[in-house]
Amino acid sequence: MEPACRKDKSKLNSTPTRGDRARQKSAQQELKQRQRAEIYALNKVMTELEQQQFETFCKQMQSQGE
């Protein structure tokens, strides 16, 4: 009878509890927030780079026109 009891205990441990699910959800939200922040930071850097390249291009076009 003991082996069956052991199986039941292992099944109970494998299912996530409310606390585990809450932690997983919280970790998932934190990951999304971090990824979003990284995307915004990358977007800012890329926008600045594009602006610099555009300004350089404009200067080159002005110097060619003179």
Side-chain angles (χ1 to χ4, degrees), residues 12-30:
L12 289 175
N13 289 337
S14 67
T15 58
T17 62
R18 282 188 186 175
D20 290 339
R21 280 182 259 159
R23 278 191 290 272
Q24 286 177 344
K25 188 174 182 179
S26 176
Q28 211 44 25
Q29 287 175 338
E30 287 177 20

Side-chain angles (χ1 to χ4, degrees), residues 56-66:
T56 303
F57 172 76
C58 288
K59 287 177 185 176
Q60 285 176 349
M61 295 307 285
Q62 280 182 341
S63 67
Q64 288 179 0
E66 293 175 355

Side-chain angles (χ1 to χ4, degrees), residues 30-41:
E30 287 177 20
L31 177 62
K32 280 185 178 181
Q33 278 183 324
R34 193 183 85 228
Q35 287 175 335
R36 187 179 179 125
E38 289 174 359
I39 288 169
Y40 279 119

